[in-house]
Amino acid sequence: MATQTASTRALSDAVVSKITGLVVSDGGSTAINAPFTGEPLATLPLSSAGDVELAYAKAREAQKAWAALPVADRVRPVLKFVDEFIARRDEILDILQWETGKARRHAFEEFLDVTLGPLYYARKAGKLLAPKRRAGAFPIATRTSEHRQPKGVVGMITPWNYPISMGVGDTIPALIAGNGVVHKPDTQTALSVLWCVDLMIECGLPRDLWQVVLGDPAEIGDTLIGNADYIAFTGSTRAGRLIAEKAAPRLIGYSLELGGKNPMIVLEDADLDKAARGAIRACFSNAGQLCISIERLFVHEKVYDAFVEKFATATRAMKLGSSLTFDEQMGSLTYPRQLETVTTHVEQAVEKGATVVAGGKARPDLGPLFYEPTILTDVTTDMDLCAGETFGPVVSVYRFSSEEEAIERANDTSYGLNASVWTKNVARGRRVAARIQAGTVNVNEGYGSAMASHDAPMGGMKQSGVGRRHGSEGLLKYTEVQTIASQQFMELDAPPQIAYAKYADLLTSSLRTMKRFRLK
């Protein structure tokens, strides 16, 4: 590894060597750079298609014994992991910042998610996975129960923007459900995932159960999907469609959390100071590299000017930087391609008549991938950032004159991942929220209320995804549901001594009786 800088103060060669040794690799490697500085951060092993095959073989063998364990035994390493994870908070926050370039407060959001999510499943899994009695065909005579069996080995593909929220937060319920996992995190942000895998093994998870492979999707993607019993993916809508196509011939299930062009509505009765502060978090957390962040902001015409002034003033005052403290409000973008997209979207919009209210330019004085938090007005439909996902610290602000108009414009998108509504009347806010076509809608918050409600499902409508994470669905999607029904006292066919016509009459009379007494 390269000589350490201030941004890599404790990422020792020993730590890197230990955790990268978990990657299934036959010898290939690649280097990753620190977004804060552009300097080399670490060298990571790369996996071949053959390595992916080997990873599945190892995970499949380990999964047999794992699935046979009681749920309480599968939960035990997770509970230990949560304790150790909390105790080593600063270590994982440092790694997250080095590899993503995010501000520490946004790395802390991931820390919270990977503490609360696994803890939720550790507490609830016993009940969620327990066999459940179901009403049988006939009272007393038929005993029916629902059982949950693990899928087998889950193929997990997770992104760079929130590497452990998605990578660890989605893998742990798959493991608790009794599965093995072959996991391909994004190479740029694999260190934080590997650190968590290593910690899980220290806490008692079988070594081969959670396999990690790294590489280009073009090289290992087909093998990764072709060997999986289920696919869990978080990423772009374009990539999600390709995964669905590859999964279809084998009829395996999948969950896809995809892109968003998320709206925020500020109603005329909103607390504008709170709404402006909320918009800072909603639009610029993780430098806007968050699939549930706000990119379209609709403000009632009566409060439009006042809100924009407050929002712009707060945005211009934001502190940007690369320190490993909680002082900065926004960090760096992660990839050069993200900086290019953001720059192109803003420049094109300005050329076509958009107005820059705050920000609007890169900040190479802070680091190679910094871009100012940016607010645009006068954005029109012929501009790419109007409907296309920018995935950066850029938001466009629009006026509206009625509640109905705001809802219609919020829904005028092919996406449906997240939304936000601001009003002093919470009941009104919830009524508006129910009419927005998005998988999660937050009232008087941008995204955190829904994201942190681990007992409730989270995912997208329309082109924003299939399936849900969090809640019971976030665990049960990794299982096959099985019905076991046993018959006693009576057969379902006509007894030999009764003609079938008579038998049909008896059953018909029984149906009337069962309906009358609400037995059916």
Side-chain angles (χ1 to χ4, degrees), residues 248-293:
R250 295 180 51 233
L251 298 178
I252 62 169
Y254 52 80
S255 59
L256 310 170
E257 184 168 311
L258 308 176
K261 191 69 177 177
N262 307 302
M264 173 172 159
I265 298 173
V266 179
L267 296 170
E268 72 276 11
D269 66 341
D271 182 319
L272 298 187
D273 290 320
K274 289 182 179 178
R277 290 194 298 271
I280 293 290
R281 288 190 62 252
C283 302
F284 305 131
S285 287
N286 199 32
Q289 299 169 122
L290 173 60
C291 56
I292 54 177
S293 68

Side-chain angles (χ1 to χ4, degrees), residues 161-192:
N161 58 326
Y162 278 75
I164 61 172
S165 279
M166 306 301 176
V168 180
D170 286 354
T171 296
I172 284 179
L175 295 171
I176 291 176
N179 298 283
V181 172
V182 175
H183 183 183
K184 194 198 88 63
D186 188 275
T187 304
Q188 172 64 33
T189 54
L191 290 173
S192 58

Side-chain angles (χ1 to χ4, degrees), residues 54-97:
L54 177 60
Y56 270 103
K58 289 182 176 180
R60 212 169 290 283
E61 185 61 31
Q63 187 266 340
K64 295 175 184 176
W66 179 252
L69 293 175
V71 174
D73 289 347
R74 301 201 296 259
V75 159
R76 197 165 290 118
V78 177
L79 292 172
K80 291 181 181 178
F81 169 84
V82 170
D83 288 336
E84 290 300 314
F85 189 73
I86 292 172
R88 296 170 65 177
R89 184 196 76 174
D90 287 343
E91 187 177 344
I92 188 60
L93 292 184
D94 285 355
I95 295 174
L96 283 168
Q97 285 194 268

Side-chain angles (χ1 to χ4, degrees), residues 322-337:
S322 58
S323 80
L324 303 186
T325 72
F326 288 102
D327 294 337
E328 279 78 14
Q329 292 172 274
M330 198 180 89
S332 168
L333 294 164
T334 301
Y335 273 113
R337 65 173 183 259

